Amino acid sequence: MSRLSISGRGGGPFRPRGRRAAENLAGSAFLMPIIAVFIILFAVPLAQTFYFSLTNFSGYSTDVEFVGLKNYATVFSDPSLLQGLIFTIMFALATTVLITVVAIPLAVVLNKRFLGRNLVRSLFFFLSVPSMAILGLVWQYILSPLDNGVVNSLLHSLFGAEAVAWLAQSTSARVCVILVAVWAGVGWHATLYLAYLQAIPADLYEQAELDGAGQLQQFRHITLPQLAPGIVVSTFLLMSGGLKVYDLPFTLTKGGPGFATNTLTQSIIVQGIAQGRADVGSALAVIFTAAVALIVLAQLVVSNRIERSLS
């Protein structure tokens, strides 16, 4: 009997220990480029950033002194930086909830058969094709209080309303930034949910109809549980993307009025580059990284619990 044909203790083919170690080593070799890229592009810069956050590094001189937690105290005592933190969390939570609430029913509608379905799907997906920076510039003109503002012109022609400076008031500017992000993101996430919907076996709905279940009951007991993995993926992408947002608020409002729509990423760039305060910018980056890690971890735990409860 050949040695390779002997079954092991678990019923599988027996492999010599040396050959198994060689296979494990070969498999680990494929991970080495990924580990190297992670260390070079993430671990080393993160360690450097943490070191600079404890010094008076300006970004232009290598002559630095250790200052302890002074930069962190500066971050939490600066109102503009705190407003950036508050708006960033507000933006991430609001866009995650609103896009999820709108995208799931939209995907259910787009999954049904009707005339022009493919064209409608393409139109919704097209909204997510242009970059957020371009959309911010376009919506800046649409919301302009001048004669070229589409929204004010439409309201004036329909209701005789006076022009409103949508982006010049704190509350309306925040609402506009969030709604534009929702408008741009709904199509892409509806497409994601549509892919999960098309993987649901049709016989589940046929059996439910035979049992007398209505549309709402089918949605509650079949569609929503089957979409649970998609909800976890979508909300994870929305939350992580919302916490890192920069391009849309910057092009739409430049972080204004005042610091109403300022974001953490914009503060990091302004402090670290424009104002030559790399020490404070590094402290912001460390706080931002820790906050993102905690929020995403909490979001994953909650999403997994929701997924198990729906399954």
Side-chain angles (χ1 to χ4, degrees):
M1 180 180 295
S2 172
R3 186 177 183 181
L4 293 178
S5 63
I6 300 174
S7 297
R9 182 176 298 178
F14 175 80
R15 290 178 298 176
R17 181 174 300 177
R19 181 179 175 182
R20 188 167 51 192
E23 290 177 353
N24 292 336
L25 183 62
S28 302
F30 284 100
L31 297 177
M32 296 307 294
I34 299 174
I35 295 173
V37 170
F38 177 81
I39 292 174
I40 295 172
L41 297 183
F42 182 78
V44 173
L46 183 61
Q48 285 183 322
T49 302
F50 180 70
Y51 167 71
F52 289 137
S53 70
L54 302 175
T55 68
N56 62 349
F57 182 53
S58 66
Y60 302 101
S61 173
T62 56
D63 186 15
V64 297
E65 295 180 1
F66 183 77
V67 297
L69 299 178
K70 179 182 177 182
N71 296 320
Y72 292 92
T74 302
V75 169
F76 288 106
S77 61
D78 190 329
S80 64
L81 301 180
L82 286 179
Q83 284 197 23
L85 175 63
I86 293 171
F87 178 70
T88 301
I89 295 175
M90 180 191 306
F91 179 90
L93 292 175
T95 53
T96 299
V97 172
L98 292 176
I99 289 178
T100 302
V101 168
V102 177
I104 292 178
L106 177 61
V108 173
V109 172
L110 294 178
N111 195 38
K112 298 183 181 299
R113 294 183 180 278
F114 58 88
L115 183 62
R117 182 179 64 172
N118 292 334
L119 176 62
V120 175
R121 288 179 177 178
S122 303
L123 290 177
F124 277 105
F125 182 74
F126 177 76
L127 299 179
S128 60
V129 174
S131 71
M132 283 293 186
I134 295 176
L135 291 178
L137 295 174
V138 171
W139 274 94
Q140 195 178 45
Y141 283 104
I142 293 176
L143 297 170
S144 171
L146 304 178
D147 293 338
N148 58 355
V150 176
V151 174
N152 281 323
S153 299
L154 189 62
L155 291 176
H156 180 72
S157 59
L158 292 177
F159 308 106
E162 297 292 332
V164 178
W166 300 101
L167 303 178
Q169 302 172 19
S170 299
T171 302
S172 59
R174 287 172 174 168
V175 172
C176 288
V177 171
I178 291 171
L179 290 182
V180 171
V182 172
W183 173 84
V186 161
W188 192 91
H189 287 272
T191 305
L192 177 67
Y193 286 121
L194 187 60
Y196 280 91
L197 284 174
Q198 292 180 346
I200 300 175
D203 54 355
L204 291 178
Y205 294 102
E206 295 172 357
Q207 183 63 42
E209 288 181 359
L210 291 176
D211 293 340
Q215 294 291 327
L216 288 177
Q217 290 176 313
Q218 292 180 28
F219 178 80
R220 168 66 183 85
H221 298 288
I222 298 177
T223 304
L224 207 53
Q226 296 292 326
L227 278 182
I231 294 174
V232 173
V233 173
S234 176
T235 54
F236 175 77
L237 294 175
L238 286 169
M239 183 62 73
S240 58
L243 292 171
K244 296 183 295 184
V245 66
Y246 170 75
D247 42 9
L248 177 62
F250 182 76
T251 54
L252 190 58
T253 63
K254 299 291 188 297
F259 297 100
T261 58
N262 194 31
T263 61
L264 269 182
T265 49
Q266 185 177 342
S267 298
I268 293 172
I269 294 173
V270 170
Q271 295 288 333
I273 299 176
Q275 298 184 4
R277 301 174 64 188
D279 48 357
V280 178
S282 299
L284 265 174
V286 172
I287 295 171
F288 174 69
T289 304
V292 169
L294 288 175
I295 293 175
V296 170
L297 182 62
Q299 185 256 336
L300 282 176
V301 172
V302 173
S303 299
N304 288 331
R305 289 184 177 179
I306 294 175
E307 182 180 1
R308 284 197 296 268
S309 66
L310 291 176
S311 301

